[in-house]
Amino acid sequence: AQSVTQLGSHVSVSEGALVLLRCNYSSSVPPYLFWYVQYPNQGLQLLLKYTTGATLVKGINGFEAEFKKSETSFHLTKPSAHMSDAAEYFCAVIQGAQKLVFGQGTRLTINP
Amino acid sequence: DTEVTQTPKHLVMGMTNKKSLKCEQHMGHRAMYWYKQKAKKPPELMFVYSYEKLSINESVPSRFSPECPNSSLLNLHLHALQPEDSALYLCASSVAGVLDLGNTFGSGTRLTVV
């Protein structure tokens, strides 16, 4: 069954620094991968997704992710962190036709 | 309208109560989902409705009863819950299946069972 593993339950960066959140997947078929963000007391918002085609995927709020089959990775990056980026981030993969399976999440803290 | 609306936002119920959570979307999405999220954990899928028919039940206890009266509405009926059922309950929708655009999530109902 498809699954994802997020490396690092908590990441802390300075404002203006590079954000890198790591996600590795396990899948016997080409995976469909997603990154979601959750702000406190909110639902989840889709940042970006990879289905097929271009391996560098651009999302909202300046985030992007690169699908690397050789490394089974789908890491999320942003060149310059803003205070408003502080949130919980979830990587997810489709299992079967309709089930979205999430990683354990990474809490991003931004230091002023 | 690009939102999934959930009501109520907060709910406190006793273990003998019956209550319902409501979810509504007007994006023309034909798949709707219930997720349960415990504190500091990822969401876990509970149910999927596709074209108003239950297509996935993740072995959820019968004290949770979903209902999809029409393509815009999704309810979750609660009865005889346990304190461990306290969580954030998230509703989501998608065009037809999750492959299409990913789920659009509501803000959730924070449920406390006392």
Side-chain angles (χ1 to χ4, degrees), chain B residues 8-112:
Chain B
K9 293 197 180 304
H10 300 275
L11 178 63
V12 179
M13 61 184 292
M15 289 188 284
T16 59
N17 291 160
K18 285 185 180 181
K19 296 287 184 182
S20 295
L21 310 185
K22 297 187 184 301
C23 174
E24 190 169 3
Q25 58 86 16
H26 296 287
M27 296 177 280
H29 290 176
R30 300 308 299 271
M32 297 186 75
Y33 310 76
W34 280 115
Y35 290 84
K36 174 181 178 180
Q37 186 178 25
K38 301 283 280 184
K40 300 188 187 305
K41 294 291 187 181
E44 294 180 341
L45 184 66
M46 300 174 72
F47 303 103
V48 181
Y49 273 82
S50 184
Y51 293 89
E52 295 93 73
K53 294 191 187 311
L54 183 65
S55 59
I56 295 179
N57 178 341
E58 289 289 300
S59 302
V60 178
S62 59
R63 58 186 184 269
F64 296 91
S65 176
E67 178 197 20
C68 189
N70 60 56
S71 61
S72 299
L73 294 174
L74 184 66
N75 299 321
L76 186 63
H77 302 297
L78 313 173
H79 174 55
L81 295 193
Q82 302 297 309
E84 59 264 30
D85 296 322
S86 298
L88 182 67
Y89 288 84
L90 294 165
C91 175
S93 68
S94 66
V95 175
V98 72
L99 292 177
D100 295 292
L101 291 174
N103 292 177
T104 300
F105 283 82
S107 295
T109 294
R110 188 162 299 282
L111 174 67
T112 303

